[in-house]
Amino acid sequence: MKDISEAKYIDLSLGELVGGPPFSLKQHLGNIIQGEWKGYLEPSGMKKLREVVKIKSQHLFEKELTEDQILITTGASQALSSVYHVIPQKKLLVPQLGFPLYKKTAEQMGILLYQYHIGPEVNWDKTLEEIEDGFRQGIKAILWNVPHNPLGIIPPKNVVRALSDLCTQYNTMCISDEVYRDFKRESEIISPVQYIPERTLFIYSFSKAYAMAGMRIGFIIGHPHIIKILSQVHWNSNMSTSWIAQEAALYALNNLEGFPQSLSQKVSKRMSKACEIFKNNGISFIEPQGGIFICLDVSPLKSSSKKFVLNALINENLDLMPGHEFGMNGDTLVRMNCGINDEDFDEALKRIVQIYCN
């Protein structure tokens, strides 16, 4: 067995932009913490923050947003678990493949899941057929994820329009998880909220675009009636979102306008480098249109994702995410995060080539 005792441990398994937000935000928080301690805030979130979220999100909506359409949440995870409380009949359509938390949260809350196709191969006709079949069976809520985690798929405009039309036709709710929407390469990101705002619950997180992972801050935009219910759910779950996190989000929106785009460009550059290296070395992979991940395809190796990931950890001190965590169709996929620093990413690519080609 290869001696890796001196090899640096590199973690590509989590959906985290390593390095954190700019120093100016950290300095701002240091000053804020030394000032007035604000304690618990109103359940819907700090008024100033909701006002800025309204302004920054208005471009997605034809009609003017109001503050009572916005709920500040303790991260996208808390947003998701709150939304699960208002799922009609406790039945939900989710993507297969899909972010593991969708299933885990549902199991904890007694939600019955029904799946629709989303990969690894792209077949939008199949996707829309399975969605409509679910709606015909009486399911009144669907979870939509763009860019998709882990595949980085961005649905074209006609598909989002067709999804929106189905939601209208069958009177269903659309939960649109868009925490990676700032990370795109070339494809335009179209949200269901642009077609069916009255039926859509739009979920966003600051942990990605502003590299604030661990701060636990996000928001939901939706119909005022649903937001009012969710705000009470949120309060009953964990009182209010941390005022420190809300101050961080407020500063980010007001002062770091170009940061998400800069971060996205860095991730996209790493993705392009990885894609080129994989092609040159005969490594099978799925090229992402957005998000922060690339999925390796280990099926040519006759290996499972779990076996490949274990081998990478033991022999190369490299941590990856096995695709089986995202559903049964992901057992030959391995997800890697492109949100780490360039030096570690370059080293990780060398180790992946070593593992895959040997």
Side-chain angles (χ1 to χ4, degrees), residues 308-329:
F308 185 92
V309 167
L310 184 61
N311 180 38
L313 186 60
I314 292 174
N315 292 315
E316 294 289 347
N317 218 12
L318 182 65
D319 213 347
L320 301 161
M321 174 69 78
H324 73 85
E325 295 281 356
F326 299 89
M328 58 184 178
N329 293 340

Side-chain angles (χ1 to χ4, degrees), residues 134-150:
F135 289 170
R136 284 199 188 105
Q137 294 177 46
I139 300 169
K140 294 296 184 181
I142 181 170
L143 207 158
W144 188 251
N145 178 211
V146 57
H148 180 269
N149 178 11

Side-chain angles (χ1 to χ4, degrees), residues 162-177:
L163 165 71
S164 303
D165 289 343
L166 288 173
C167 288
T168 299
Q169 180 182 345
Y170 290 94
N171 191 27
T172 59
M173 172 192 297
C174 181
I175 303 157
S176 194
D177 176 357

Side-chain angles (χ1 to χ4, degrees), residues 32-189:
I32 286 288
I33 290 172
Q34 294 178 58
E36 177 190 2
W37 194 265
K38 297 182 180 178
Y40 297 127
L41 301 178
E42 55 267 44
S44 55
M46 194 162 59
K47 181 176 175 59
K48 286 184 180 179
L49 178 55
R50 284 185 288 126
E51 287 175 349
V52 178
V53 168
K54 180 186 73 172
I55 294 169
K56 299 290 185 180
S57 305
Q58 183 61 62
H59 68 284
L60 294 173
F61 297 81
E62 285 189 9
K63 295 182 179 179
E64 186 175 354
L65 280 174
T66 58
E67 290 165 30
D68 60 355
Q69 290 177 260
I70 299 165
L71 171 65
I72 306 302
T73 63
T74 306
S77 300
Q78 182 72 24
L80 185 65
S81 61
S82 297
V83 166
Y84 275 22
H85 281 83
V86 296
I87 299 296
Q89 304 168 5
K90 290 189 175 293
K91 295 179 180 179
L92 177 66
L93 271 172
V94 295
Q96 162 66 255
L97 306 164
F99 180 43
L101 193 63
Y102 298 157
K103 180 180 178 181
K104 293 176 181 178
T105 303
E107 289 174 345
Q108 290 175 344
M109 301 183 67
I111 303 291
L112 297 177
L113 295 184
Y114 300 80
Q115 299 176 334
Y116 64 89
H117 169 84
I118 203 73
E121 74 289 345
V122 175
N123 184 337
W124 293 120
D125 288 339
K126 182 178 180 181
T127 297
L128 292 170
E129 285 172 7
E130 293 185 358
I131 289 172
E132 184 166 18
D133 185 56
F135 289 170
R136 284 199 188 105
Q137 294 177 46
I139 300 169
K140 294 296 184 181
I142 181 170
L143 207 158
W144 188 251
N145 178 211
V146 57
H148 180 269
N149 178 11
L151 300 174
I153 297 170
I154 296 176
K157 184 176 183 178
N158 66 302
V159 170
V160 182
R161 180 81 226 204
L163 165 71
S164 303
D165 289 343
L166 288 173
C167 288
T168 299
Q169 180 182 345
Y170 290 94
N171 191 27
T172 59
M173 172 192 297
C174 181
I175 303 157
S176 194
D177 176 357
E178 303 189 28
V179 300
Y180 293 105
R181 72 169 287 112
D182 297 282
F183 296 88
K184 59 183 179 180
R185 300 179 74 192
E186 296 179 359
S187 301
E188 182 184 6
I189 295 176

Side-chain angles (χ1 to χ4, degrees), residues 175-244:
I175 303 157
S176 194
D177 176 357
E178 303 189 28
V179 300
Y180 293 105
R181 72 169 287 112
D182 297 282
F183 296 88
K184 59 183 179 180
R185 300 179 74 192
E186 296 179 359
S187 301
E188 182 184 6
I189 295 176
I190 304 295
S191 171
V193 81
Q194 294 169 246
Y195 298 116
I196 48 169
E198 73 286 352
R199 297 185 178 279
T200 305
L201 289 171
F202 176 94
I203 295 178
Y204 184 83
S205 168
F206 289 85
S207 66
K208 314 305 178 186
Y210 295 95
M212 288 166 54
M215 186 62 76
R216 311 310 303 138
I217 179 74
F219 62 81
I220 306 172
I221 301 177
H223 191 283
H225 174 67
I226 296 179
I227 292 299
K228 185 176 181 180
I229 296 172
L230 295 181
S231 116
Q232 194 57 50
V233 169
H234 200 249
W235 179 261
N236 293 340
S237 320
N238 70 333
M239 304 295 281
S240 59
T241 297
S242 160
W243 68 268
I244 300 171

